[in-house]
Amino acid sequence: MQEIQEKINQYRLKFEEEAVRVRDRQGLEALRVQFLGRKRGYITKLIENLKHLSPEERPLMGKEINELKTYILAKLEEIKHNVVKTQKKVSHLDLTLPGRQIPLGAPHPLVKLQEEIESIFYQMGFSVEDGPEIETDYYNFEALNFPPHHPARDDWDTIYVEGREDLLLRTHTSPVQIRAMEKRKPPIRIIIPGRVYRKETPDPTHLPMFFQVEGLVVDVGITFAHLKGTLESFLRRLFSERIKIRFRPSFFPFTEPSAEVDISCLVCQGKDSRCRVCRGSGWIEILGAGMVDPQVLKNVNIDPEKFSGFAFGMGIDRTAMFVYQINDMRLFYENDLRLLRQFNRQ
Ligand SMILES: [Zn+2]
């Protein structure tokens, strides 16, 4: 009986030693056969040995053997569970797969162009100014020489705030010029990029919301020559050194004299009478500009006898259409990644 007892203890130790080495299903099956196999398993051999014992000793040892068997069965079950779990983990982890690509965001073409414009003006000593998009009638119109009922107001179908007739969505970024001149005295050299709103039905060249950039310079002895030089240098940097630039007389209530500025067509250079971009004229209207009206300076308590200035403004969306050769402004706002990705190849 002592001999069997020793064997039971010995097998238990042996099982525990071997169990920790099992790594896969084959190892597990080999261990099971080694201990529980019907012909040569250690447990089977122990049971066979019971017949050499006396009838009193047999049930005692039988019980011990059964306990060992139960222990081994439970342990095998536990190992099986762990093996399956690790194999699952391993099958999900394929080290040969390429790394997951993390998509990087990129600036919207309109933002990119705005940043380019800002950077050109930064280098010419301008700073960037910001202002509210909901404006009062005073800043959007009156201070800029549009008295109530002035016909120039009719050019813009303004969106007013319901129940507040004195509040509106700014139709241009010009109110920020007034705010800037109220805040500080000349010299002033700023650009004002931002969103503006007009009651428009969307079509390829009109939107109820779009981006503008305006500039304002006020100092002693500023002349139209400064305006021309600044705009020529800016437009050549933005488009190409080779473009031609022309100034045409125009009218804005807040500048006198005023001009429209055209650049030579980037697509046909004025050589194609059927060009769709310039419609055969060879010129593209790109911005409006002029010398700040002395009345506007008086409105903000700047002495027009002492100071003079110039201002200009252009549509960022409209300019982006030329720069990126896009024929429909609405495409900028559709968030179609196939379009947007074309301007951000890295
Ligand atoms: Zn053309």
Side-chain angles (χ1 to χ4, degrees):
M1 182 171 124
Q2 205 180 345
E3 206 183 320
I4 294 187
Q5 183 66 62
E6 269 170 21
K7 280 232 162 90
I8 289 173
N9 294 343
Q10 202 186 321
Y11 288 154
R12 181 184 281 264
L13 283 174
K14 192 172 167 62
F15 177 81
E16 278 167 0
E17 260 173 44
E18 308 244 322
V20 292
R21 283 201 283 269
V22 173
R23 290 281 173 274
D24 49 28
R25 282 164 190 272
Q26 287 94 322
L28 180 70
E29 179 58 13
L31 185 67
R32 190 191 67 78
V33 171
Q34 191 183 3
F35 284 86
L36 303 176
R38 274 199 202 151
K39 280 186 183 163
R40 295 181 177 196
Y42 295 138
I43 301 291
T44 316
K45 279 186 189 162
L46 284 174
I47 294 170
E48 273 172 14
N49 284 335
L50 280 178
K51 63 186 177 207
H52 305 299
L53 295 177
S54 65
E56 298 84 49
E57 288 168 336
R58 231 175 269 161
L60 281 174
M61 283 301 103
K63 201 179 155 222
E64 291 266 340
I65 295 168
N66 254 334
E67 265 174 24
L68 178 61
K69 194 179 168 184
T70 315
Y71 166 77
I72 289 174
L73 278 170
K75 198 80 189 164
L76 286 175
E77 200 53 41
E78 191 185 305
I79 296 168
K80 188 174 157 190
H81 184 75
N82 287 340
V83 165
V84 169
K85 218 163 74 181
T86 351
Q87 275 185 341
K88 261 193 194 158
K89 249 193 233 161
V90 167
S91 64
H92 279 138
L93 184 73
D94 183 350
L95 296 174
T96 64
L97 282 174
R100 225 171 261 170
Q101 206 181 357
I102 300 164
L104 282 178
H108 188 278
L110 293 179
V111 174
K112 255 181 91 163
L113 182 61
Q114 183 182 320
E115 283 173 354
E116 221 177 305
I117 293 168
E118 283 175 10
S119 133
I120 295 171
F121 279 107
Y122 269 138
Q123 289 165 47
M124 291 199 274
F126 284 70
S127 58
V128 174
E129 194 86 16
D130 202 6
E133 288 176 24
I134 298 174
E135 264 300 357
T136 61
D137 187 274
Y138 174 76
Y139 283 107
N140 195 78
F141 290 123
E142 247 178 275
L144 290 155
N145 249 357
F146 292 81
H149 313 298
H150 190 288
R153 287 197 182 199
D154 296 343
D155 289 347
W156 297 327
D157 289 320
T158 312
I159 302 169
Y160 285 88
V161 174
E162 206 175 351
R164 285 290 303 271
E165 270 179 28
D166 56 328
L167 289 183
L168 49 90
L169 297 181
R170 66 181 183 191
T171 54
H172 47 186
T173 45
S174 312
V176 188
Q177 295 190 23
I178 302 296
R179 288 177 180 277
M181 287 190 284
E182 279 178 350
K183 263 190 291 186
R184 67 179 99 100
K185 293 297 146 201
I188 294 170
R189 212 182 302 169
I190 54 170
I191 58 159
I192 308 142
R195 273 192 210 91
V196 298
Y197 304 84
R198 293 183 197 171
K199 193 168 170 287
E200 302 267 13
T201 310
D203 71 24
T205 52
H206 295 90
L207 287 172
M209 186 213 83
F210 54 98
F211 286 83
Q212 256 193 356
V213 58
E214 284 193 18
L216 172 72
V217 172
V218 183
D219 205 346
V220 177
I222 297 291
T223 68
F224 204 91
H226 294 114
L227 164 63
K228 248 188 121 180
T230 306
L231 290 182
E232 279 184 4
S233 145
F234 160 64
L235 292 170
R236 295 220 152 93
R237 283 284 303 279
L238 187 64
F239 292 105
S240 148
E241 284 298 327
R242 287 169 309 175
I243 55 161
K244 281 189 236 131
I245 297 163
R246 83 176 176 188
F247 286 72
R248 279 183 291 118
S250 183
F251 169 77
F252 302 109
F254 38 91
T255 48
E256 181 58 40
S258 305
E260 301 270 2
V261 183
D262 300 338
I263 59 167
S264 52
C265 179
L266 299 160
V267 177
C268 74
Q269 276 89 34
K271 285 175 191 140
D272 182 0
S273 59
R274 282 168 304 171
C275 173
R276 281 166 61 194
V277 176
C278 64
R279 295 197 180 87
S281 73
W283 295 97
I284 298 164
E285 187 189 314
I286 207 79
L287 48 77
M291 300 306 291
V292 180
D293 194 301
Q295 184 58 47
V296 174
L297 294 177
K298 274 188 212 156
N299 290 349
V300 290
N301 294 321
I302 291 177
D303 182 1
E305 297 297 324
K306 200 171 158 196
F307 295 103
S308 56
F310 66 80
F312 55 88
M314 68 186 241
I316 294 180
D317 309 55
R318 226 180 88 78
T319 309
M321 286 172 75
F322 298 125
V323 173
Y324 301 124
Q325 302 284 315
I326 286 173
N327 56 13
D328 192 331
M329 209 185 260
R330 292 171 294 188
L331 293 170
F332 287 129
Y333 297 93
E334 281 179 353
N335 286 336
D336 187 336
L337 289 178
R338 288 170 303 175
L339 176 100
L340 300 177
R341 279 200 185 111
Q342 294 174 52
F343 310 109
N344 281 295
R345 287 205 190 103
Q346 268 138 9

